[in-house]
Amino acid sequence: MTVLQLEGTRLEQKRISKPLVRYFLATIGIIFIVAMHYFQHNPGGSGLELSFNAAVWIPFSFAISFGLLEICRQQIWRYSRLTLLLFACCVLLTLPIFYPNADAGAAFNRLFTLWAGFLFFVSLQQFVFTHQQRQRLLWFILIGVLIEAVFAWYQYLWIPAKNPIGYDTIANRPYGIFQQPNVMASFLATGLVIGTYLLARIPLYRGKWSWQHVVLLMTPVLTIPMLVVLNSRTGWLGAIIGVALMLPYLRRFAAKQVQRLWLLMIALSLSLAWNIASTEHWSPKSNAAEVTSDARGVIYPQAYEIFTTKPLTGYGYGKFEAAYITQTALWHNEDPTQHAGVPSLDHPHNELLFWADEGGIVPLIGLLLAAFAVMVKIRKAPNGTQLALIGLFFPIVLHTQLEYPFYHSLVHWLSFIILIFWVDNLTAKYHKRSLQYVLGLKVFALITPIFISSFMVTTLYSGWQLTKFETTRPVNIDYLLKVNNPWSWKNRFDWDLQLTQLQLGIGSDKPALIEDYIQWATEKAKTWPRPALYQNLILAYDALGNKEQASQIRDEALFLFPDLDFEQQTSQAKATSAAK
């Protein structure tokens, strides 16, 4: 009898290679368990100015790479209807970069992160997770929250006044790694809601408790008192409403004894919070740098009016700050009863208004379409789960309408995408498309983590050198010369370099250096109109003896910032320059 040998011939059935799911999950675990907790001294800010964001980008790039490599290995692309809808939304959000009034360089980071997030969503869809693996995605977020909660307890109760991370023990608002209390609060609130959700999904086998139940029941005890201490209305609202939306789900799917013990833990958490609030040394703290509800009452109407003046095209991507301060100055000059603009405001503290002001109606439609698509997915979820799924999103979504958490914290953005994938995976009917030519995609998948990791490592090194330059006295220019990635620190690097040049020009009586600063600052003010920039311009013209031009710059500064005293600020700047 003849035996037909198929192996090695075209008749052999194509085998599906072993998936990269373990490596993919490992990178996500590294993000939430390791990378997001990385600390390095920095001056504050957002994006890559915060060291933990640069650290998170490294494993994040590998996660995207593993997802794309999985497509190449299987030569199959898995997608759902939501994938196509979100792609269309990303296209709508990107289109205004091609408008003639856009500043592509200023908006590049935002759009790059947007598309990286979409690729991360696509990567998540390429793996057929088991129930435990899929649930592990939420566990990773929760573990990240619990680590930060423990860190917050340490900051609040035990960290010494002179500590290596520069934590302010007097204000004592335990912001964890995020350096901003509201960002910490929304992260804790998200963890509290996820913990409640998971508690309802883990059954009791023959009445036996597992370590998972213990961790989930301890989550309120670790997070709720810190939410009280942080005194963040954003966190409080996100936690209260998020948990309230989760209660029907918990009541329906969790065992009675689990429900009772969870309520007991909530009561214990509130008791701890009350005990902290009633202590002699505690009082609600606020940060003067934060935008209050009163300030939002001014900013939101101004930002909305800016949108209505140019609803079709907006003022151009990357140009919100200049457009905002100019328009509000014009309105205040025409009608002094109208509020002047808030100085140094580069975001209106509302994500919808931000994209609408800069890009007009097109990106606004994109955002609303994305929200509608996710809500449709939630509505298709099994009965009794819809409110719980809304509750998962609520703390972060609420925060995006009051501030800009995605710019402060990359892990907020990744958590948000994982939650979208979670909802999609519950109801999605996945389609498969065979791909024959994957060489280009494979090269891109291999190059991406190498390029991003190299960029982020140099970003961290450059930030370290800039911080040493700014904090070392007397000033040592060698630290500035060691910066090997000025692109990621564009504003800060240019500011340090030009300000040093101005101070050197004034101190050593070198007009050429002062004139170079004036040329740079005059151009910079068109896109980055900050009070300190105008103050130094006035100082520069005074140093050259050009009183008339100094007076003109002072008038322009007072027009843009009518509530500030540039006479006093300039005198202080002169004294500082003389001391140096």
Side-chain angles (χ1 to χ4, degrees):
M1 183 176 181
T2 304
V3 178
L4 182 62
Q5 300 290 337
L6 298 180
E7 188 173 355
T9 71
R10 292 184 179 179
L11 295 177
E12 180 187 14
Q13 186 176 3
K14 186 177 178 180
R15 298 175 182 176
I16 297 178
S17 57
K18 189 175 181 179
L20 298 171
V21 62
R22 290 185 178 180
Y23 301 100
F24 180 75
L25 288 174
T27 58
I28 298 178
I30 291 171
I31 289 173
F32 288 98
I33 301 174
V34 181
M36 67 163 286
H37 312 290
Y38 174 77
F39 174 79
Q40 180 177 299
H41 286 288
N42 60 81
S46 61
L48 297 182
E49 294 171 337
L50 301 173
S51 54
F52 66 88
N53 285 327
V56 167
W57 267 106
I58 297 174
F60 177 35
S61 66
F62 278 91
I64 293 174
S65 177
F66 285 132
L68 298 181
L69 285 174
E70 184 67 15
I71 297 176
C72 299
R73 285 161 58 87
Q74 312 296 356
Q75 293 189 343
I76 294 173
W77 172 41
R78 297 177 77 242
Y79 65 95
S80 64
R81 288 184 180 179
L82 185 61
T83 314
L84 303 179
L85 282 171
L86 292 181
F87 175 78
C89 295
C90 290
V91 170
L92 291 175
L93 289 168
T94 306
L95 281 177
I97 199 69
F98 301 106
Y99 293 176
N101 61 355
D103 184 349
F108 175 79
N109 288 348
R110 188 199 328 167
L111 294 178
F112 184 84
T113 306
L114 171 72
W115 282 102
F118 175 74
L119 289 178
F120 181 54
F121 178 76
V122 171
S123 298
L124 284 163
Q125 291 185 315
Q126 303 318 304
F127 300 97
V128 182
F129 297 114
T130 65
H131 174 73
Q132 289 183 340
Q133 288 172 336
R134 189 163 59 90
Q135 203 148 267
R136 200 174 298 165
L137 294 171
L138 297 185
W139 271 101
F140 283 143
I141 300 174
L142 181 60
I143 291 171
V145 171
L146 294 178
I147 292 173
E148 284 302 309
V150 171
F151 188 33
W153 278 95
Y154 170 70
Q155 287 176 328
Y156 184 71
L157 295 177
W158 299 294
I159 196 168
K162 293 183 179 180
N163 55 82
I165 65 173
Y167 177 75
D168 186 353
T169 56
I170 297 176
N172 207 11
R173 297 183 75 190
Y175 48 62
I177 197 64
F178 298 108
Q179 300 180 211
Q180 211 279 349
N182 287 336
V183 179
M184 176 65 167
S186 65
F187 192 60
L188 292 178
T190 300
L192 177 62
V193 172
I194 288 176
T196 308
Y197 181 76
L198 287 173
L199 190 62
R201 293 181 61 85
I202 300 177
L204 284 176
Y205 290 105
R206 298 179 180 178
K208 293 183 179 180
W209 298 81
S210 68
W211 64 268
Q212 294 173 316
H213 290 104
V214 175
V215 172
L216 295 173
L217 289 169
M218 286 300 297
T219 298
V221 180
L222 290 172
T223 56
I224 290 177
M226 288 300 99
L227 284 168
V228 172
V229 168
L230 282 166
N231 192 34
S232 166
R233 295 182 209 175
T234 301
W236 289 353
L237 282 173
I240 293 170
I241 298 178
V243 170
L245 291 170
M246 203 63 63
L247 287 177
Y249 184 79
L250 186 69
R251 184 177 180 181
R252 180 169 181 175
F253 294 102
K256 293 293 183 182
Q257 51 188 320
V258 172
Q259 296 178 34
R260 295 190 191 103
L261 199 53
W262 180 82
L263 289 172
L264 181 62
M265 292 298 104
I266 292 292
L268 176 61
S269 306
L270 295 174
S271 298
L272 283 173
W274 178 83
N275 185 60
I276 291 173
S278 61
T279 57
E280 181 181 353
H281 303 290
W282 186 88
S283 61
K285 308 293 194 309
S286 61
N287 189 342
E290 292 180 17
V291 173
T292 64
S293 56
D294 292 338
R296 290 189 183 95
V298 173
I299 294 170
Y300 290 169
Q302 291 174 333
Y304 175 75
E305 192 169 352
I306 286 173
F307 166 64
T308 58
T309 56
K310 286 189 177 181
L312 295 180
T313 62
Y315 283 82
Y317 271 7
K319 294 184 176 180
F320 171 79
E321 184 173 355
Y324 168 79
I325 205 66
T326 302
Q327 284 300 315
T328 53
L330 288 171
W331 294 331
H332 179 74
N333 186 60
E334 293 173 358
D335 181 7
T337 61
Q338 294 196 33
H339 291 279
V342 177
S344 305
L345 187 73
D346 56 3
H347 192 287
H349 291 250
N350 180 285
E351 202 64 23
L352 293 175
L353 288 173
F354 182 53
W355 290 85
D357 286 347
E358 288 198 343
I361 193 68
V362 171
L364 182 60
I365 291 174
L367 290 173
L368 295 177
L369 177 61
F372 176 76
V374 174
M375 286 301 298
V376 169
K377 277 289 181 183
I378 291 175
R379 188 167 183 177
K380 291 181 179 179
N383 290 333
T385 65
Q386 291 96 336
L387 288 179
L389 295 177
I390 293 174
L392 289 174
F393 286 95
F394 191 83
I396 292 180
V397 172
L398 173 68
H399 199 179
T400 63
Q401 302 310 298
L402 298 174
E403 284 184 331
Y404 42 109
F406 294 150
Y407 305 82
H408 278 291
S409 167
L410 183 59
V411 291
H412 276 67
W413 177 231
L414 300 187
S415 301
F416 187 68
I417 295 168
I418 290 173
L419 293 177
I420 293 176
F421 168 74
W422 179 270
V423 169
D424 182 56
N425 194 254
L426 290 176
T427 60
K429 179 182 179 182
Y430 285 106
H431 307 277
K432 296 182 179 179
R433 184 178 182 86
S434 298
L435 302 176
Q436 294 182 347
Y437 305 102
V438 295
L439 179 61
L441 184 61
K442 183 180 292 185
V443 171
F444 176 77
L446 293 173
I447 289 176
T448 296
I450 297 173
F451 172 77
I452 290 180
S453 298
S454 301
F455 187 87
M456 295 306 159
V457 169
T458 56
T459 295
L460 291 170
Y461 176 79
S462 298
W464 178 44
Q465 295 298 330
L466 281 171
T467 301
K468 291 176 71 174
F469 170 77
E470 293 170 352
T471 56
T472 302
R473 293 294 178 269
V475 173
N476 187 347
I477 197 69
D478 291 340
Y479 292 128
L480 206 57
L481 298 176
K482 291 180 181 178
V483 172
N484 58 5
N485 188 350
W487 301 281
S488 58
W489 297 96
K490 182 65 176 171
N491 284 337
R492 185 177 165 202
F493 177 77
D494 286 350
W495 176 265
D496 285 344
L497 181 64
Q498 296 296 334
L499 184 59
T500 302
Q501 181 173 301
L502 174 62
Q503 292 170 346
L504 182 62
I506 294 175
S508 59
D509 195 20
K510 293 182 178 179
L513 294 177
I514 301 174
E515 289 173 357
D516 286 343
Y517 176 84
I518 289 174
Q519 184 177 359
W520 169 81
T522 302
E523 188 64 27
K524 187 70 174 176
K526 297 177 182 178
T527 57
W528 201 64
R530 297 288 174 97
L533 192 68
Y534 279 92
Q535 169 192 318
N536 288 333
L537 259 178
I538 297 168
L539 179 64
Y541 278 116
D542 277 338
L544 291 177
N546 192 340
K547 303 297 182 183
E548 182 179 352
Q549 190 65 33
S551 178
Q552 290 181 7
I553 296 297
R554 187 178 291 107
D555 291 341
E556 181 179 336
L558 289 172
F559 173 77
L560 295 175
F561 312 104
D563 296 331
L564 300 182
D565 183 0
F566 284 90
E567 291 286 352
Q568 182 180 0
Q569 291 184 5
T570 304
S571 300
Q572 292 174 351
K574 286 180 180 179
T576 302
S577 298
K580 293 182 179 180

